[in-house]
Amino acid sequence: PFLRLLEAQLQDQRREHEEEVEALKNQVDAMKIEMEKQQQAFLQTLQLSPEAQVEFGLQEITCLTNENLDVKELLENMEKNEKKLKKQLKIYMKKVRDFE
């Protein structure tokens, strides 16, 4: 019974982790699509006047800076979650060893 409970908890954790990984893959795919759109927009700006190019460049820098901050926050959250999951796994493994 105790071992089955631990296995069930571990399976739940694994399922949650897999769902998080899938969500992150989807975010990466969305970012790739957005990057392609931005590349197309950049190619179009090369046809603008120098002043308009500078203005567009400043807007892009602001946008990319904000996106980088979002990605940094996402990465920090993932790292925290990874540490939490590793800690939980160690606890479960210790319980299993103690039970055996």
Side-chain angles (χ1 to χ4, degrees):
F2 180 71
L3 189 57
R4 286 186 185 149
L5 175 64
L6 288 176
E7 287 175 350
Q9 289 174 340
L10 194 56
Q11 286 177 350
D12 288 342
Q13 289 293 325
R14 182 180 299 130
R15 194 173 312 113
E16 286 178 23
H17 178 69
E18 289 171 356
E19 289 171 1
E20 288 179 19
V21 167
E22 186 64 30
L24 293 171
K25 285 180 182 178
N26 291 338
Q27 286 180 327
V28 168
D29 290 342
M31 287 179 177
K32 286 180 183 177
I33 292 169
E34 181 61 29
M35 188 173 71
E36 289 172 6
K37 289 179 185 176
Q38 289 178 357
Q39 287 174 339
Q40 290 300 318
F42 176 73
L43 292 175
Q44 291 174 353
T45 61
L46 294 178
Q47 300 170 359
L48 299 175
S49 69
E51 295 82 11
Q53 286 182 8
V54 169
E55 180 63 29
F56 179 80
L58 292 173
Q59 290 174 0
E60 282 298 301
I61 288 170
T62 301
C63 181
L64 291 173
T65 299
N66 290 334
E67 286 179 14
N68 284 344
L69 291 172
D70 291 343
V71 169
K72 183 179 178 183
E73 181 181 345
L74 181 63
L75 179 60
E76 288 170 355
N77 289 339
M78 286 176 50
E79 288 171 346
K80 287 178 187 176
N81 190 46
E82 180 185 18
K83 287 179 184 178
K84 180 184 87 174
L85 290 173
K86 284 182 178 180
K87 189 174 185 178
Q88 288 177 346
L89 181 59
K90 284 182 182 180
I91 291 169
Y92 291 140
M93 294 305 289
K94 184 178 182 331
K95 287 181 181 179
V96 168
R97 282 194 299 270
D98 291 346
F99 181 74
E100 292 173 345

